[in-house]
Amino acid sequence: MSQGLKQQELISKAEDVADQVLRHSKHFLPHVARLCLISTFLEDGIRMWFQWHEQRDYIDATWGCGWFLAVVFVLFNLVGQLGGCIMVLSRQKVPIACGLLFSIIGVQTIAYSILWDVKFLMRNLALAGGIILLLAESKAEGKSLFAGLPSLGENTSKTYLQLSGRILLVLMFLTLLRFEFSVLNVIQNLVGTVLMVLIAIGYKTKLSALVLVTWLTILNFYFNAWWNIPDYKPMRDFLKYDFFQTFSVVGGLLLVVALGPGGVSMDEHKKKW
């Protein structure tokens, strides 16, 4: 009994610390979250510019679609990603920007045969979860402009967007599970799985998301240190891709922290008990 009380007290203290962090960061946290979230699109859009010929030749060689369609693909990725990022950061036409970024994820999933690679597919789905949360945030902002007016439909759609965004986001951690037996791997898998489940069901959501943000950031800098790889090695591009995708998921988790879990969550239902 005393052990259970100690654990509850420890969790309460951790939640108090999390609340303090949120209170002091509430004015800039959403901006940091958005910047992290769009980082992979920003990096990829810039890469399309600097590797224009390589990307065009790769698509042409892989799909045999011809020079013109390959150029259209690269141009769409370049303009769509950079344009979408600018719109998100400037808070202009965010739903359109989200639609653009969704289409980029879909097109790249097919063009780069990600559909058949489970690890990359889950990462892309996690990225889509982040965009869904961005859409939910824009709906919350829209609602605040018309305070006092009935908005049950908006509330419902925002709630389910938050739910689906949360569930998709945690897929990122599934790609980090390691099945080689060691004490460190067992601890990492266990802690990660618990946090993943808590965020998915919306229990102690803000605390769990903050811990997972810290966890993912540490793992990201440790495993995806692309800056240590020489320019001429292909591994540099792979690690850079993983690094910025993980950073985008971190941005999505920060949005969960900023927005809360939404109506379909245990945290919300606890308020009614």
Side-chain angles (χ1 to χ4, degrees), residues 25-45:
S25 63
K26 65 180 179 181
H27 295 299
F28 63 84
L29 184 63
H31 302 291
V32 174
R34 287 181 218 117
L35 183 60
C36 288
L37 209 159
I38 57 99
S39 63
T40 191
F41 298 103
L42 194 59
E43 185 275 332
D44 199 49

Side-chain angles (χ1 to χ4, degrees), residues 104-153:
I104 295 289
I105 292 172
V107 167
Q108 288 193 357
T109 298
I110 295 166
Y112 295 120
S113 302
I114 289 170
L115 203 57
W116 316 118
D117 187 315
V118 176
K119 179 182 173 182
F120 283 108
L121 180 61
M122 284 198 292
R123 281 172 177 260
N124 269 20
L125 287 172
L127 194 55
I131 303 299
I132 289 172
L133 287 171
L134 205 52
L135 195 56
E137 186 201 26
S138 74
K139 284 186 175 291
E141 285 180 351
K143 182 187 157 198
S144 68
L145 293 175
F146 303 99
L149 295 179
S151 58
L152 185 61

Side-chain angles (χ1 to χ4, degrees), residues 8 55 84 89 93 130 141 145 181 213:
Q8 199 170 2
Q55 293 294 326
L89 292 177
K93 308 285 185 188
E141 285 180 351
L145 293 175
F181 184 77
V213 161

Side-chain angles (χ1 to χ4, degrees), residues 27-85:
H27 295 299
F28 63 84
L29 184 63
H31 302 291
V32 174
R34 287 181 218 117
L35 183 60
C36 288
L37 209 159
I38 57 99
S39 63
T40 191
F41 298 103
L42 194 59
E43 185 275 332
D44 199 49
I46 293 168
R47 186 161 55 88
M48 289 290 165
W49 175 264
F50 286 104
Q51 295 182 4
W52 177 281
H53 299 295
E54 293 93 328
Q55 293 294 326
R56 181 199 65 198
D57 293 344
Y58 173 81
I59 292 298
D60 187 13
T62 303
W63 292 95
C65 57
W67 180 87
F68 177 74
L69 286 178
V71 166
V72 169
F73 170 83
V74 178
L75 189 63
F76 171 68
N77 276 273
L78 172 69
V79 175
Q81 291 185 104
L82 295 183
C85 289

Side-chain angles (χ1 to χ4, degrees), residues 55-265:
Q55 293 294 326
R56 181 199 65 198
D57 293 344
Y58 173 81
I59 292 298
D60 187 13
T62 303
W63 292 95
C65 57
W67 180 87
F68 177 74
L69 286 178
V71 166
V72 169
F73 170 83
V74 178
L75 189 63
F76 171 68
N77 276 273
L78 172 69
V79 175
Q81 291 185 104
L82 295 183
C85 289
I86 291 167
M87 290 161 77
V88 167
L89 292 177
S90 62
R91 314 305 297 138
Q92 300 296 318
K93 308 285 185 188
V94 174
I96 294 173
C98 289
L100 259 177
L101 297 178
F102 268 128
S103 63
I104 295 289
I105 292 172
V107 167
Q108 288 193 357
T109 298
I110 295 166
Y112 295 120
S113 302
I114 289 170
L115 203 57
W116 316 118
D117 187 315
V118 176
K119 179 182 173 182
F120 283 108
L121 180 61
M122 284 198 292
R123 281 172 177 260
N124 269 20
L125 287 172
L127 194 55
I131 303 299
I132 289 172
L133 287 171
L134 205 52
L135 195 56
E137 186 201 26
S138 74
K139 284 186 175 291
E141 285 180 351
K143 182 187 157 198
S144 68
L145 293 175
F146 303 99
L149 295 179
S151 58
L152 185 61
E154 282 289 307
N155 255 350
T156 305
S157 63
K158 174 177 170 276
T159 292
Y160 285 105
L161 282 172
Q162 284 178 275
L163 173 65
S164 52
R166 274 196 344 255
I167 291 170
L168 287 173
L169 267 182
V170 297
L171 291 176
M172 170 57 98
F173 198 84
L174 290 176
T175 67
L176 299 173
L177 294 176
R178 294 176 175 273
F179 298 103
E180 301 89 2
F181 184 77
S182 74
V183 175
L184 186 62
N185 282 342
V186 169
I187 293 171
Q188 179 181 310
N189 291 348
L190 189 62
V191 172
T193 303
V194 169
L195 291 172
M196 195 168 59
V197 171
L198 288 175
I199 291 169
I201 64 175
Y203 182 66
K204 307 282 186 190
T205 316
K206 291 187 177 184
L207 176 61
S208 302
L210 270 178
V211 174
L212 195 52
V213 161
T214 307
W215 189 271
L216 274 178
T217 303
I218 292 168
L219 290 178
N220 197 25
F221 277 91
Y222 182 75
F223 288 114
N224 297 323
W226 54 270
W227 50 88
N228 291 330
I229 308 295
D231 288 348
Y232 62 86
K233 289 194 174 181
M235 182 56 71
R236 182 184 173 93
D237 279 342
F238 284 114
L239 289 180
K240 189 189 280 191
Y241 174 81
D242 278 359
F243 179 85
F244 283 103
Q245 270 218 328
T246 306
F247 232 43
S248 288
V249 173
V250 165
L253 288 167
L254 286 174
L255 272 185
V256 171
V257 174
L259 288 174
V264 186
S265 64

